[in-house]
Amino acid sequence: MLRVTTYICIGANLGDARATVLSAIEALADVPQTELQVHSRLYRSTPMGENATGDDYVNAVAQLST
């Protein structure tokens, strides 16, 4: 079977954003026929755009093999 490497970007800024991103990473590990290879550390970024407001984003990137 051919395996493909994919990268998924994850970000949240509502509620407990850190917990949401960590939960998303855990959920990716449970996707059938997919293996979570590695994920980045969590990092913060500010909302962008002229009218952007709100809390900073918590972000990560995950590498999967599917």
Side-chain angles (χ1 to χ4, degrees):
M1 177 182 356
L2 174 66
R3 301 291 290 181
V4 176
T5 299
T6 62
Y7 298 90
I8 306 293
C9 300
I10 305 162
N13 77 332
L14 300 176
D16 187 347
R18 183 179 189 281
T20 299
V21 170
L22 291 173
S23 178
I25 291 169
E26 289 177 14
L28 288 172
D30 293 334
V31 175
Q33 300 179 358
T34 300
E35 180 183 347
L36 176 63
Q37 305 270 287
V38 67
H39 64 84
S40 70
R41 64 178 179 79
L42 303 183
Y43 59 97
R44 291 192 174 271
S45 63
T46 58
M48 298 180 73
E50 287 184 32
N51 299 317
T53 60
D55 296 335
D56 286 353
Y57 281 86
V58 176
N59 307 284
V61 177
Q63 177 184 329
L64 304 161
S65 176
T66 187

